[in-house]
PDB file of all heavy atoms in Angstrom:
ATOM      1  N   GLN J 242      -6.626  19.908 -25.055  1.00  0.00           N
ATOM      2  CA  GLN J 242      -6.536  18.485 -24.690  1.00  0.00           C
ATOM      3  C   GLN J 242      -5.067  18.069 -24.546  1.00  0.00           C
ATOM      4  O   GLN J 242      -4.232  18.434 -25.382  1.00  0.00           O
ATOM      5  CB  GLN J 242      -7.195  17.583 -25.751  1.00  0.00           C
ATOM      6  CG  GLN J 242      -8.697  17.735 -25.877  1.00  0.00           C
ATOM      7  CD  GLN J 242      -9.072  18.875 -26.808  1.00  0.00           C
ATOM      8  OE1 GLN J 242      -8.259  19.301 -27.620  1.00  0.00           O
ATOM      9  NE2 GLN J 242     -10.305  19.378 -26.689  1.00  0.00           N
ATOM     10  N   GLN J 243      -4.787  17.331 -23.472  1.00  0.00           N
ATOM     11  CA  GLN J 243      -3.457  16.754 -23.276  1.00  0.00           C
ATOM     12  C   GLN J 243      -3.602  15.286 -22.890  1.00  0.00           C
ATOM     13  O   GLN J 243      -4.405  14.944 -22.019  1.00  0.00           O
ATOM     14  CB  GLN J 243      -2.690  17.487 -22.168  1.00  0.00           C
ATOM     15  CG  GLN J 243      -2.278  18.893 -22.538  1.00  0.00           C
ATOM     16  CD  GLN J 243      -1.227  19.434 -21.571  1.00  0.00           C
ATOM     17  OE1 GLN J 243      -0.046  19.085 -21.656  1.00  0.00           O
ATOM     18  NE2 GLN J 243      -1.646  20.268 -20.658  1.00  0.00           N
ATOM     19  N   ASP J 244      -2.813  14.437 -23.536  1.00  0.00           N
ATOM     20  CA  ASP J 244      -2.807  13.014 -23.212  1.00  0.00           C
ATOM     21  C   ASP J 244      -1.979  12.817 -21.940  1.00  0.00           C
ATOM     22  O   ASP J 244      -0.763  12.982 -21.946  1.00  0.00           O
ATOM     23  CB  ASP J 244      -2.200  12.219 -24.371  1.00  0.00           C
ATOM     24  CG  ASP J 244      -2.243  10.708 -24.133  1.00  0.00           C
ATOM     25  OD1 ASP J 244      -2.556  10.297 -22.995  1.00  0.00           O
ATOM     26  OD2 ASP J 244      -1.974   9.950 -25.072  1.00  0.00           O
ATOM     27  N   VAL J 245      -2.634  12.478 -20.830  1.00  0.00           N
ATOM     28  CA  VAL J 245      -1.948  12.293 -19.550  1.00  0.00           C
ATOM     29  C   VAL J 245      -2.003  10.819 -19.121  1.00  0.00           C
ATOM     30  O   VAL J 245      -1.955  10.509 -17.932  1.00  0.00           O
ATOM     31  CB  VAL J 245      -2.555  13.206 -18.462  1.00  0.00           C
ATOM     32  CG1 VAL J 245      -2.296  14.665 -18.773  1.00  0.00           C
ATOM     33  CG2 VAL J 245      -4.062  12.953 -18.306  1.00  0.00           C
ATOM     34  N   THR J 246      -2.095   9.931 -20.109  1.00  0.00           N
ATOM     35  CA  THR J 246      -2.222   8.502 -19.802  1.00  0.00           C
ATOM     36  C   THR J 246      -1.029   8.000 -19.003  1.00  0.00           C
ATOM     37  O   THR J 246      -1.187   7.263 -18.022  1.00  0.00           O
ATOM     38  CB  THR J 246      -2.354   7.686 -21.099  1.00  0.00           C
ATOM     39  OG1 THR J 246      -3.444   8.199 -21.864  1.00  0.00           O
ATOM     40  CG2 THR J 246      -2.593   6.220 -20.802  1.00  0.00           C
ATOM     41  N   ARG J 247       0.175   8.384 -19.410  1.00  0.00           N
ATOM     42  CA  ARG J 247       1.365   7.900 -18.719  1.00  0.00           C
ATOM     43  C   ARG J 247       1.348   8.342 -17.255  1.00  0.00           C
ATOM     44  O   ARG J 247       1.646   7.553 -16.355  1.00  0.00           O
ATOM     45  CB  ARG J 247       2.619   8.428 -19.410  1.00  0.00           C
ATOM     46  CG  ARG J 247       3.919   7.964 -18.748  1.00  0.00           C
ATOM     47  CD  ARG J 247       5.128   8.453 -19.501  1.00  0.00           C
ATOM     48  NE  ARG J 247       5.188   7.873 -20.835  1.00  0.00           N
ATOM     49  CZ  ARG J 247       6.148   8.160 -21.711  1.00  0.00           C
ATOM     50  NH1 ARG J 247       7.112   9.018 -21.387  1.00  0.00           N
ATOM     51  NH2 ARG J 247       6.145   7.602 -22.910  1.00  0.00           N
ATOM     52  N   ARG J 248       0.987   9.595 -17.022  1.00  0.00           N
ATOM     53  CA  ARG J 248       0.949  10.082 -15.646  1.00  0.00           C
ATOM     54  C   ARG J 248      -0.105   9.353 -14.824  1.00  0.00           C
ATOM     55  O   ARG J 248       0.129   8.954 -13.692  1.00  0.00           O
ATOM     56  CB  ARG J 248       0.657  11.583 -15.633  1.00  0.00           C
ATOM     57  CG  ARG J 248       0.823  12.231 -14.266  1.00  0.00           C
ATOM     58  CD  ARG J 248       0.219  13.609 -14.243  1.00  0.00           C
ATOM     59  NE  ARG J 248      -1.231  13.541 -14.206  1.00  0.00           N
ATOM     60  CZ  ARG J 248      -2.027  14.532 -14.561  1.00  0.00           C
ATOM     61  NH1 ARG J 248      -1.522  15.650 -15.056  1.00  0.00           N
ATOM     62  NH2 ARG J 248      -3.341  14.406 -14.474  1.00  0.00           N
ATOM     63  N   LYS J 249      -1.294   9.147 -15.423  1.00  0.00           N
ATOM     64  CA  LYS J 249      -2.370   8.466 -14.695  1.00  0.00           C
ATOM     65  C   LYS J 249      -1.980   7.022 -14.384  1.00  0.00           C
ATOM     66  O   LYS J 249      -2.270   6.515 -13.304  1.00  0.00           O
ATOM     67  CB  LYS J 249      -3.662   8.496 -15.518  1.00  0.00           C
ATOM     68  CG  LYS J 249      -4.254   9.884 -15.712  1.00  0.00           C
ATOM     69  CD  LYS J 249      -4.763  10.468 -14.403  1.00  0.00           C
ATOM     70  CE  LYS J 249      -6.012   9.781 -13.924  1.00  0.00           C
ATOM     71  NZ  LYS J 249      -6.605  10.441 -12.738  1.00  0.00           N
ATOM     72  N   ARG J 250      -1.319   6.375 -15.342  1.00  0.00           N
ATOM     73  CA  ARG J 250      -0.891   5.000 -15.084  1.00  0.00           C
ATOM     74  C   ARG J 250       0.129   4.959 -13.952  1.00  0.00           C
ATOM     75  O   ARG J 250       0.101   4.059 -13.101  1.00  0.00           O
ATOM     76  CB  ARG J 250      -0.303   4.391 -16.350  1.00  0.00           C
ATOM     77  CG  ARG J 250      -1.351   4.032 -17.408  1.00  0.00           C
ATOM     78  CD  ARG J 250      -0.703   3.548 -18.683  1.00  0.00           C
ATOM     79  NE  ARG J 250      -1.715   3.149 -19.659  1.00  0.00           N
ATOM     80  CZ  ARG J 250      -1.439   2.881 -20.937  1.00  0.00           C
ATOM     81  NH1 ARG J 250      -0.185   2.947 -21.380  1.00  0.00           N
ATOM     82  NH2 ARG J 250      -2.415   2.541 -21.767  1.00  0.00           N
ATOM     83  N   ALA J 251       1.044   5.939 -13.957  1.00  0.00           N
ATOM     84  CA  ALA J 251       2.033   5.991 -12.878  1.00  0.00           C
ATOM     85  C   ALA J 251       1.349   6.237 -11.534  1.00  0.00           C
ATOM     86  O   ALA J 251       1.711   5.624 -10.516  1.00  0.00           O
ATOM     87  CB  ALA J 251       3.058   7.087 -13.159  1.00  0.00           C
ATOM     88  N   GLU J 252       0.367   7.147 -11.525  1.00  0.00           N
ATOM     89  CA  GLU J 252      -0.357   7.425 -10.291  1.00  0.00           C
ATOM     90  C   GLU J 252      -1.091   6.183  -9.809  1.00  0.00           C
ATOM     91  O   GLU J 252      -1.089   5.865  -8.615  1.00  0.00           O
ATOM     92  CB  GLU J 252      -1.348   8.573 -10.506  1.00  0.00           C
ATOM     93  CG  GLU J 252      -0.692   9.933 -10.712  1.00  0.00           C
ATOM     94  CD  GLU J 252      -1.706  10.996 -11.099  1.00  0.00           C
ATOM     95  OE1 GLU J 252      -2.886  10.643 -11.342  1.00  0.00           O
ATOM     96  OE2 GLU J 252      -1.326  12.183 -11.151  1.00  0.00           O
ATOM     97  N   ARG J 253      -1.724   5.481 -10.748  1.00  0.00           N
ATOM     98  CA  ARG J 253      -2.478   4.288 -10.362  1.00  0.00           C
ATOM     99  C   ARG J 253      -1.542   3.181  -9.894  1.00  0.00           C
ATOM    100  O   ARG J 253      -1.860   2.447  -8.955  1.00  0.00           O
ATOM    101  CB  ARG J 253      -3.326   3.808 -11.531  1.00  0.00           C
ATOM    102  CG  ARG J 253      -4.495   4.752 -11.807  1.00  0.00           C
ATOM    103  CD  ARG J 253      -5.385   4.253 -12.931  1.00  0.00           C
ATOM    104  NE  ARG J 253      -6.613   5.027 -12.932  1.00  0.00           N
ATOM    105  CZ  ARG J 253      -7.833   4.501 -12.977  1.00  0.00           C
ATOM    106  NH1 ARG J 253      -7.978   3.205 -13.026  1.00  0.00           N
ATOM    107  NH2 ARG J 253      -8.900   5.275 -12.969  1.00  0.00           N
ATOM    108  N   ALA J 254      -0.386   3.052 -10.572  1.00  0.00           N
ATOM    109  CA  ALA J 254       0.575   2.039 -10.137  1.00  0.00           C
ATOM    110  C   ALA J 254       1.076   2.357  -8.736  1.00  0.00           C
ATOM    111  O   ALA J 254       1.213   1.458  -7.893  1.00  0.00           O
ATOM    112  CB  ALA J 254       1.749   1.969 -11.124  1.00  0.00           C
ATOM    113  N   ALA J 255       1.343   3.643  -8.485  1.00  0.00           N
ATOM    114  CA  ALA J 255       1.788   4.045  -7.149  1.00  0.00           C
ATOM    115  C   ALA J 255       0.697   3.780  -6.117  1.00  0.00           C
ATOM    116  O   ALA J 255       0.979   3.328  -5.001  1.00  0.00           O
ATOM    117  CB  ALA J 255       2.165   5.527  -7.147  1.00  0.00           C
ATOM    118  N   ALA J 256      -0.553   4.059  -6.497  1.00  0.00           N
ATOM    119  CA  ALA J 256      -1.666   3.807  -5.575  1.00  0.00           C
ATOM    120  C   ALA J 256      -1.809   2.312  -5.290  1.00  0.00           C
ATOM    121  O   ALA J 256      -2.068   1.907  -4.147  1.00  0.00           O
ATOM    122  CB  ALA J 256      -2.958   4.374  -6.153  1.00  0.00           C
ATOM    123  N   ARG J 257      -1.632   1.494  -6.362  1.00  0.00           N
ATOM    124  CA  ARG J 257      -1.721   0.047  -6.149  1.00  0.00           C
ATOM    125  C   ARG J 257      -0.605  -0.444  -5.242  1.00  0.00           C
ATOM    126  O   ARG J 257      -0.830  -1.291  -4.359  1.00  0.00           O
ATOM    127  CB  ARG J 257      -1.682  -0.687  -7.494  1.00  0.00           C
ATOM    128  CG  ARG J 257      -2.963  -0.574  -8.310  1.00  0.00           C
ATOM    129  CD  ARG J 257      -2.972  -1.591  -9.429  1.00  0.00           C
ATOM    130  NE  ARG J 257      -1.903  -1.387 -10.376  1.00  0.00           N
ATOM    131  CZ  ARG J 257      -2.001  -0.605 -11.448  1.00  0.00           C
ATOM    132  NH1 ARG J 257      -3.129   0.027 -11.714  1.00  0.00           N
ATOM    133  NH2 ARG J 257      -0.976  -0.476 -12.281  1.00  0.00           N
ATOM    134  N   ARG J 258       0.607   0.087  -5.470  1.00  0.00           N
ATOM    135  CA  ARG J 258       1.721  -0.305  -4.611  1.00  0.00           C
ATOM    136  C   ARG J 258       1.462   0.118  -3.169  1.00  0.00           C
ATOM    137  O   ARG J 258       1.703  -0.646  -2.229  1.00  0.00           O
ATOM    138  CB  ARG J 258       3.024   0.316  -5.117  1.00  0.00           C
ATOM    139  CG  ARG J 258       3.571  -0.346  -6.371  1.00  0.00           C
ATOM    140  CD  ARG J 258       5.003   0.054  -6.608  1.00  0.00           C
ATOM    141  NE  ARG J 258       5.137   1.480  -6.836  1.00  0.00           N
ATOM    142  CZ  ARG J 258       5.074   2.053  -8.025  1.00  0.00           C
ATOM    143  NH1 ARG J 258       4.878   1.311  -9.101  1.00  0.00           N
ATOM    144  NH2 ARG J 258       5.209   3.360  -8.157  1.00  0.00           N
ATOM    145  N   ALA J 259       0.973   1.348  -3.027  1.00  0.00           N
ATOM    146  CA  ALA J 259       0.679   1.837  -1.679  1.00  0.00           C
ATOM    147  C   ALA J 259      -0.404   0.997  -1.020  1.00  0.00           C
ATOM    148  O   ALA J 259      -0.325   0.681   0.171  1.00  0.00           O
ATOM    149  CB  ALA J 259       0.256   3.305  -1.733  1.00  0.00           C
ATOM    150  N   ALA J 260      -1.423   0.639  -1.815  1.00  0.00           N
ATOM    151  CA  ALA J 260      -2.506  -0.183  -1.269  1.00  0.00           C
ATOM    152  C   ALA J 260      -1.996  -1.565  -0.879  1.00  0.00           C
ATOM    153  O   ALA J 260      -2.387  -2.115   0.155  1.00  0.00           O
ATOM    154  CB  ALA J 260      -3.641  -0.294  -2.286  1.00  0.00           C
ATOM    155  N   ARG J 261      -1.123  -2.132  -1.739  1.00  0.00           N
ATOM    156  CA  ARG J 261      -0.574  -3.440  -1.420  1.00  0.00           C
ATOM    157  C   ARG J 261       0.268  -3.386  -0.150  1.00  0.00           C
ATOM    158  O   ARG J 261       0.159  -4.260   0.725  1.00  0.00           O
ATOM    159  CB  ARG J 261       0.285  -3.950  -2.582  1.00  0.00           C
ATOM    160  CG  ARG J 261       0.777  -5.380  -2.362  1.00  0.00           C
ATOM    161  CD  ARG J 261       1.682  -5.851  -3.474  1.00  0.00           C
ATOM    162  NE  ARG J 261       2.960  -5.185  -3.461  1.00  0.00           N
ATOM    163  CZ  ARG J 261       3.361  -4.300  -4.358  1.00  0.00           C
ATOM    164  NH1 ARG J 261       2.576  -3.967  -5.363  1.00  0.00           N
ATOM    165  NH2 ARG J 261       4.555  -3.738  -4.270  1.00  0.00           N
ATOM    166  N   ILE J 262       1.094  -2.339  -0.049  1.00  0.00           N
ATOM    167  CA  ILE J 262       1.916  -2.184   1.148  1.00  0.00           C
ATOM    168  C   ILE J 262       1.032  -2.006   2.376  1.00  0.00           C
ATOM    169  O   ILE J 262       1.296  -2.557   3.448  1.00  0.00           O
ATOM    170  CB  ILE J 262       2.870  -0.984   0.984  1.00  0.00           C
ATOM    171  CG1 ILE J 262       3.925  -1.302  -0.096  1.00  0.00           C
ATOM    172  CG2 ILE J 262       3.550  -0.643   2.298  1.00  0.00           C
ATOM    173  CD1 ILE J 262       4.769  -0.117  -0.479  1.00  0.00           C
ATOM    174  N   GLU J 263      -0.021  -1.217   2.200  1.00  0.00           N
ATOM    175  CA  GLU J 263      -0.944  -1.000   3.314  1.00  0.00           C
ATOM    176  C   GLU J 263      -1.634  -2.297   3.711  1.00  0.00           C
ATOM    177  O   GLU J 263      -1.805  -2.586   4.906  1.00  0.00           O
ATOM    178  CB  GLU J 263      -1.978   0.057   2.926  1.00  0.00           C
ATOM    179  CG  GLU J 263      -3.017   0.350   3.998  1.00  0.00           C
ATOM    180  CD  GLU J 263      -2.413   0.868   5.288  1.00  0.00           C
ATOM    181  OE1 GLU J 263      -1.292   1.416   5.244  1.00  0.00           O
ATOM    182  OE2 GLU J 263      -3.055   0.734   6.343  1.00  0.00           O
ATOM    183  N   ARG J 264      -2.035  -3.110   2.707  1.00  0.00           N
ATOM    184  CA  ARG J 264      -2.661  -4.395   3.027  1.00  0.00           C
ATOM    185  C   ARG J 264      -1.698  -5.304   3.772  1.00  0.00           C
ATOM    186  O   ARG J 264      -2.069  -5.970   4.746  1.00  0.00           O
ATOM    187  CB  ARG J 264      -3.140  -5.085   1.739  1.00  0.00           C
ATOM    188  CG  ARG J 264      -4.357  -4.445   1.102  1.00  0.00           C
ATOM    189  CD  ARG J 264      -4.958  -5.364   0.063  1.00  0.00           C
ATOM    190  NE  ARG J 264      -4.026  -5.694  -1.001  1.00  0.00           N
ATOM    191  CZ  ARG J 264      -3.885  -4.984  -2.115  1.00  0.00           C
ATOM    192  NH1 ARG J 264      -4.614  -3.897  -2.313  1.00  0.00           N
ATOM    193  NH2 ARG J 264      -3.019  -5.359  -3.052  1.00  0.00           N
ATOM    194  N   GLU J 265      -0.447  -5.335   3.290  1.00  0.00           N
ATOM    195  CA  GLU J 265       0.544  -6.172   3.954  1.00  0.00           C
ATOM    196  C   GLU J 265       0.795  -5.693   5.381  1.00  0.00           C
ATOM    197  O   GLU J 265       0.935  -6.500   6.308  1.00  0.00           O
ATOM    198  CB  GLU J 265       1.845  -6.169   3.154  1.00  0.00           C
ATOM    199  CG  GLU J 265       1.728  -6.871   1.805  1.00  0.00           C
ATOM    200  CD  GLU J 265       2.980  -6.694   0.959  1.00  0.00           C
ATOM    201  OE1 GLU J 265       3.869  -5.930   1.399  1.00  0.00           O
ATOM    202  OE2 GLU J 265       3.061  -7.301  -0.118  1.00  0.00           O
ATOM    203  N   ARG J 266       0.863  -4.379   5.536  1.00  0.00           N
ATOM    204  CA  ARG J 266       1.083  -3.839   6.875  1.00  0.00           C
ATOM    205  C   ARG J 266      -0.074  -4.178   7.810  1.00  0.00           C
ATOM    206  O   ARG J 266       0.115  -4.583   8.955  1.00  0.00           O
ATOM    207  CB  ARG J 266       1.251  -2.317   6.793  1.00  0.00           C
ATOM    208  CG  ARG J 266       1.582  -1.658   8.127  1.00  0.00           C
ATOM    209  CD  ARG J 266       1.403  -0.149   8.041  1.00  0.00           C
ATOM    210  NE  ARG J 266       0.021   0.182   7.773  1.00  0.00           N
ATOM    211  CZ  ARG J 266      -0.935   0.189   8.715  1.00  0.00           C
ATOM    212  NH1 ARG J 266      -0.659  -0.142   9.951  1.00  0.00           N
ATOM    213  NH2 ARG J 266      -2.172   0.525   8.393  1.00  0.00           N
ATOM    214  N   ALA J 267      -1.313  -4.021   7.298  1.00  0.00           N
ATOM    215  CA  ALA J 267      -2.484  -4.315   8.116  1.00  0.00           C
ATOM    216  C   ALA J 267      -2.535  -5.788   8.497  1.00  0.00           C
ATOM    217  O   ALA J 267      -2.849  -6.141   9.646  1.00  0.00           O
ATOM    218  CB  ALA J 267      -3.753  -3.916   7.363  1.00  0.00           C
ATOM    219  N   ALA J 268      -2.211  -6.667   7.515  1.00  0.00           N
ATOM    220  CA  ALA J 268      -2.218  -8.095   7.802  1.00  0.00           C
ATOM    221  C   ALA J 268      -1.157  -8.441   8.842  1.00  0.00           C
ATOM    222  O   ALA J 268      -1.390  -9.258   9.746  1.00  0.00           O
ATOM    223  CB  ALA J 268      -1.982  -8.891   6.521  1.00  0.00           C
ATOM    224  N   GLN J 269       0.008  -7.816   8.716  1.00  0.00           N
ATOM    225  CA  GLN J 269       1.074  -8.081   9.676  1.00  0.00           C
ATOM    226  C   GLN J 269       0.698  -7.579  11.065  1.00  0.00           C
ATOM    227  O   GLN J 269       0.921  -8.262  12.071  1.00  0.00           O
ATOM    228  CB  GLN J 269       2.372  -7.422   9.207  1.00  0.00           C
ATOM    229  CG  GLN J 269       3.592  -7.799  10.029  1.00  0.00           C
ATOM    230  CD  GLN J 269       4.837  -7.144   9.505  1.00  0.00           C
ATOM    231  OE1 GLN J 269       4.994  -5.931   9.585  1.00  0.00           O
ATOM    232  NE2 GLN J 269       5.729  -7.952   8.954  1.00  0.00           N
ATOM    233  N   GLU J 270       0.089  -6.397  11.131  1.00  0.00           N
ATOM    234  CA  GLU J 270      -0.327  -5.872  12.424  1.00  0.00           C
ATOM    235  C   GLU J 270      -1.355  -6.789  13.093  1.00  0.00           C
ATOM    236  O   GLU J 270      -1.322  -6.994  14.309  1.00  0.00           O
ATOM    237  CB  GLU J 270      -0.903  -4.470  12.262  1.00  0.00           C
ATOM    238  CG  GLU J 270       0.147  -3.404  12.050  1.00  0.00           C
ATOM    239  CD  GLU J 270      -0.445  -2.018  12.046  1.00  0.00           C
ATOM    240  OE1 GLU J 270      -1.689  -1.898  12.020  1.00  0.00           O
ATOM    241  OE2 GLU J 270       0.331  -1.043  12.067  1.00  0.00           O
ATOM    242  N   HIS J 271      -2.277  -7.319  12.284  1.00  0.00           N
ATOM    243  CA  HIS J 271      -3.273  -8.238  12.829  1.00  0.00           C
ATOM    244  C   HIS J 271      -2.603  -9.484  13.400  1.00  0.00           C
ATOM    245  O   HIS J 271      -2.982  -9.983  14.467  1.00  0.00           O
ATOM    246  CB  HIS J 271      -4.272  -8.627  11.740  1.00  0.00           C
ATOM    247  CG  HIS J 271      -5.316  -9.596  12.194  1.00  0.00           C
ATOM    248  ND1 HIS J 271      -6.332  -9.240  13.060  1.00  0.00           N
ATOM    249  CD2 HIS J 271      -5.493 -10.913  11.922  1.00  0.00           C
ATOM    250  CE1 HIS J 271      -7.096 -10.301  13.295  1.00  0.00           C
ATOM    251  NE2 HIS J 271      -6.605 -11.327  12.622  1.00  0.00           N
ATOM    252  N   LEU J 272      -1.606  -9.974  12.678  1.00  0.00           N
ATOM    253  CA  LEU J 272      -0.891 -11.158  13.129  1.00  0.00           C
ATOM    254  C   LEU J 272      -0.119 -10.891  14.418  1.00  0.00           C
ATOM    255  O   LEU J 272       0.021 -11.774  15.282  1.00  0.00           O
ATOM    256  CB  LEU J 272       0.064 -11.625  12.022  1.00  0.00           C
ATOM    257  CG  LEU J 272       0.886 -12.872  12.297  1.00  0.00           C
ATOM    258  CD1 LEU J 272      -0.015 -14.086  12.446  1.00  0.00           C
ATOM    259  CD2 LEU J 272       1.899 -13.088  11.178  1.00  0.00           C
ATOM    260  N   LEU J 273       0.359  -9.676  14.581  1.00  0.00           N
ATOM    261  CA  LEU J 273       1.210  -9.364  15.725  1.00  0.00           C
ATOM    262  C   LEU J 273       0.429  -8.962  16.977  1.00  0.00           C
ATOM    263  O   LEU J 273       1.045  -8.626  17.990  1.00  0.00           O
ATOM    264  CB  LEU J 273       2.167  -8.222  15.347  1.00  0.00           C
ATOM    265  CG  LEU J 273       3.126  -8.489  14.197  1.00  0.00           C
ATOM    266  CD1 LEU J 273       4.005  -7.286  13.958  1.00  0.00           C
ATOM    267  CD2 LEU J 273       3.958  -9.719  14.440  1.00  0.00           C
ATOM    268  N   GLU J 274      -0.894  -9.003  16.920  1.00  0.00           N
ATOM    269  CA  GLU J 274      -1.671  -8.569  18.074  1.00  0.00           C
ATOM    270  C   GLU J 274      -1.369  -9.394  19.324  1.00  0.00           C
ATOM    271  O   GLU J 274      -1.383  -8.877  20.439  1.00  0.00           O
ATOM    272  CB  GLU J 274      -3.169  -8.640  17.745  1.00  0.00           C
ATOM    273  CG  GLU J 274      -3.648  -7.487  16.866  1.00  0.00           C
ATOM    274  CD  GLU J 274      -5.131  -7.582  16.555  1.00  0.00           C
ATOM    275  OE1 GLU J 274      -5.765  -8.544  17.027  1.00  0.00           O
ATOM    276  OE2 GLU J 274      -5.636  -6.693  15.854  1.00  0.00           O
ATOM    277  N   ARG J 275      -1.119 -10.681  19.144  1.00  0.00           N
ATOM    278  CA  ARG J 275      -0.864 -11.559  20.294  1.00  0.00           C
ATOM    279  C   ARG J 275       0.396 -11.150  21.045  1.00  0.00           C
ATOM    280  O   ARG J 275       0.532 -11.401  22.239  1.00  0.00           O
ATOM    281  CB  ARG J 275      -0.743 -13.010  19.835  1.00  0.00           C
ATOM    282  CG  ARG J 275      -2.055 -13.609  19.361  1.00  0.00           C
ATOM    283  CD  ARG J 275      -1.882 -15.074  19.074  1.00  0.00           C
ATOM    284  NE  ARG J 275      -1.425 -15.782  20.262  1.00  0.00           N
ATOM    285  CZ  ARG J 275      -0.909 -17.004  20.229  1.00  0.00           C
ATOM    286  NH1 ARG J 275      -0.774 -17.639  19.079  1.00  0.00           N
ATOM    287  NH2 ARG J 275      -0.524 -17.591  21.335  1.00  0.00           N
ATOM    288  N   LEU J 276       1.334 -10.560  20.305  1.00  0.00           N
ATOM    289  CA  LEU J 276       2.585 -10.141  20.945  1.00  0.00           C
ATOM    290  C   LEU J 276       2.767  -8.638  20.800  1.00  0.00           C
ATOM    291  O   LEU J 276       3.837  -8.147  20.440  1.00  0.00           O
ATOM    292  CB  LEU J 276       3.765 -10.890  20.311  1.00  0.00           C
ATOM    293  CG  LEU J 276       3.740 -12.416  20.482  1.00  0.00           C
ATOM    294  CD1 LEU J 276       4.824 -13.039  19.643  1.00  0.00           C
ATOM    295  CD2 LEU J 276       3.895 -12.798  21.929  1.00  0.00           C
ATOM    296  N   ASN J 277       1.686  -7.934  21.086  1.00  0.00           N
ATOM    297  CA  ASN J 277       1.675  -6.494  20.825  1.00  0.00           C
ATOM    298  C   ASN J 277       2.788  -5.759  21.566  1.00  0.00           C
ATOM    299  O   ASN J 277       3.397  -4.835  21.040  1.00  0.00           O
ATOM    300  CB  ASN J 277       0.315  -5.905  21.216  1.00  0.00           C
ATOM    301  CG  ASN J 277       0.224  -4.439  20.861  1.00  0.00           C
ATOM    302  OD1 ASN J 277       0.322  -4.080  19.694  1.00  0.00           O
ATOM    303  ND2 ASN J 277       0.074  -3.597  21.861  1.00  0.00           N
ATOM    304  N   GLY J 278       3.066  -6.180  22.798  1.00  0.00           N
ATOM    305  CA  GLY J 278       4.066  -5.475  23.583  1.00  0.00           C
ATOM    306  C   GLY J 278       5.448  -5.538  22.966  1.00  0.00           C
ATOM    307  O   GLY J 278       6.087  -4.501  22.756  1.00  0.00           O
ATOM    308  N   VAL J 279       5.889  -6.749  22.646  1.00  0.00           N
ATOM    309  CA  VAL J 279       7.231  -6.884  22.086  1.00  0.00           C
ATOM    310  C   VAL J 279       7.313  -6.261  20.706  1.00  0.00           C
ATOM    311  O   VAL J 279       8.330  -5.658  20.334  1.00  0.00           O
ATOM    312  CB  VAL J 279       7.659  -8.371  22.047  1.00  0.00           C
ATOM    313  CG1 VAL J 279       6.801  -9.170  21.095  1.00  0.00           C
ATOM    314  CG2 VAL J 279       9.128  -8.483  21.657  1.00  0.00           C
ATOM    315  N   VAL J 280       6.239  -6.408  19.929  1.00  0.00           N
ATOM    316  CA  VAL J 280       6.239  -5.816  18.597  1.00  0.00           C
ATOM    317  C   VAL J 280       6.366  -4.299  18.686  1.00  0.00           C
ATOM    318  O   VAL J 280       7.148  -3.666  17.961  1.00  0.00           O
ATOM    319  CB  VAL J 280       4.960  -6.210  17.833  1.00  0.00           C
ATOM    320  CG1 VAL J 280       4.831  -5.411  16.548  1.00  0.00           C
ATOM    321  CG2 VAL J 280       4.970  -7.688  17.522  1.00  0.00           C
ATOM    322  N   ALA J 281       5.595  -3.697  19.575  1.00  0.00           N
ATOM    323  CA  ALA J 281       5.630  -2.243  19.727  1.00  0.00           C
ATOM    324  C   ALA J 281       7.024  -1.774  20.141  1.00  0.00           C
ATOM    325  O   ALA J 281       7.549  -0.782  19.613  1.00  0.00           O
ATOM    326  CB  ALA J 281       4.588  -1.793  20.742  1.00  0.00           C
ATOM    327  N   GLU J 282       7.620  -2.500  21.090  1.00  0.00           N
ATOM    328  CA  GLU J 282       8.943  -2.107  21.564  1.00  0.00           C
ATOM    329  C   GLU J 282       9.994  -2.213  20.467  1.00  0.00           C
ATOM    330  O   GLU J 282      10.787  -1.301  20.247  1.00  0.00           O
ATOM    331  CB  GLU J 282       9.344  -2.991  22.762  1.00  0.00           C
ATOM    332  CG  GLU J 282       8.603  -2.696  24.041  1.00  0.00           C
ATOM    333  CD  GLU J 282       8.971  -1.344  24.621  1.00  0.00           C
ATOM    334  OE1 GLU J 282      10.100  -0.886  24.405  1.00  0.00           O
ATOM    335  OE2 GLU J 282       8.110  -0.744  25.290  1.00  0.00           O
TER     336      GLU J 282
END
């Protein structure tokens, strides 16, 4: 048995951060659909 709580918490925190960043990115992409051309460029 090994206590890996610290590692799991770090993994979960990283996953939450990644999920939050992904949510923000998705929301921003949705907002930018009207100006997709300029945004893409």
Side-chain angles (χ1 to χ4, degrees):
Q242 293 85 20
Q243 291 195 78
D244 184 349
V245 294
T246 305
R247 180 177 296 179
R248 190 193 74 200
K249 294 293 289 187
R250 286 175 177 169
E252 290 173 353
R253 289 183 167 229
R257 286 194 297 271
R258 286 195 297 270
R261 186 183 70 250
I262 292 171
E263 179 60 23
R264 288 194 301 271
E265 292 173 354
R266 184 194 63 79
Q269 188 179 68
E270 284 186 350
H271 179 71
L272 181 65
L273 299 181
E274 283 180 0
R275 290 186 59 196
L276 297 171
N277 184 61
V279 65
V280 170
E282 288 292 331

